[in-house]
Amino acid sequence: MAILYALVARGSVMLAEFTAASTNASAIARQILDKIPGDNDINVSYSQDRYIFHVKRTDGLTVLCMADESAGRRIPFAFLEDIHQRFVRTYGRAIFSALPYGMNDEFSRVLSQQMEYYSSDPNADRINRLKGEMGQVVFECFEIGIRS
């Protein structure tokens, strides 16, 4: 499971992007940005070959990533939520007047780091981590019950 590409945009203006693989993800992402309907907040996914493009638009800011099909939806959308929050926290109102790729030098490093985290760190999947912790608690309670 891997997130291979990510971008942050205001409308069709790309503000930052990073790719971890040699693909045509950037070109497809531009097409998606141009075709997203309206100005409403959305969470949507598009399939392209063996990849899924996940899109989250909130308050005019669009965050998009391309992931393997095996990534499902939960982890990519957790990644997008995290990136959205980090971007807004870092740049605030400057987002609304920034030039194309105006935040790329700084924020592409954040995209890279978070893509790696959400692609490889088991702690990124909070639900599965919590299920594992709950299973451990149940197992420990069961063990205690057997011994008494």
Side-chain angles (χ1 to χ4, degrees):
M1 189 270 321
I3 297 173
L4 303 168
Y5 172 82
L7 73 78
V8 181
R10 180 192 67 243
S12 61
V13 177
M14 296 174 101
L15 302 175
E17 77 177 325
F18 181 80
T19 185
S22 189
T23 67
N24 63 343
S26 184
I28 294 169
R30 288 176 198 274
Q31 291 176 2
I32 291 171
L33 288 176
D34 289 339
K35 292 181 180 183
I36 296 173
D39 293 326
N40 298 331
D41 292 356
I42 60 166
N43 288 321
V44 65
S45 299
Y46 299 97
S47 176
Q48 174 69 30
D49 294 326
R50 66 177 201 250
Y51 300 109
I52 308 294
F53 287 80
H54 303 280
V55 183
K56 174 182 178 54
R57 183 172 55 205
T58 306
D59 300 328
L61 187 66
T62 302
V63 188
L64 176 150
C65 72
M66 180 186 81
D68 294 320
E69 283 180 319
S70 64
R73 288 178 50 94
R74 187 173 63 239
I75 291 177
F77 277 103
F79 166 79
L80 294 176
E81 179 63 29
D82 180 28
I83 292 301
H84 180 269
Q85 289 177 7
R86 288 171 185 267
F87 200 81
V88 170
R89 201 169 41 239
T90 302
Y91 298 108
R93 300 208 48 79
I95 293 167
F96 301 106
S97 59
L99 296 173
Y101 293 97
M103 285 87 171
N104 199 58
D105 286 348
E106 220 178 280
F107 205 76
S108 64
R109 286 186 287 266
V110 175
L111 291 172
S112 172
Q113 290 166 352
Q114 294 310 105
M115 285 167 60
E116 176 66 28
Y117 172 72
Y118 280 89
S119 294
S120 60
D121 192 320
N123 289 323
D125 189 352
R126 292 184 62 212
I127 290 176
N128 279 341
R129 188 184 77 231
L130 290 172
K131 283 180 183 176
E133 290 172 5
M134 291 298 293
Q136 185 63 34
V137 169
V138 169
F139 180 72
E140 288 174 7
C141 290
F142 182 70
E143 274 187 342
I144 292 169
I146 290 175
R147 290 182 186 157
S148 45

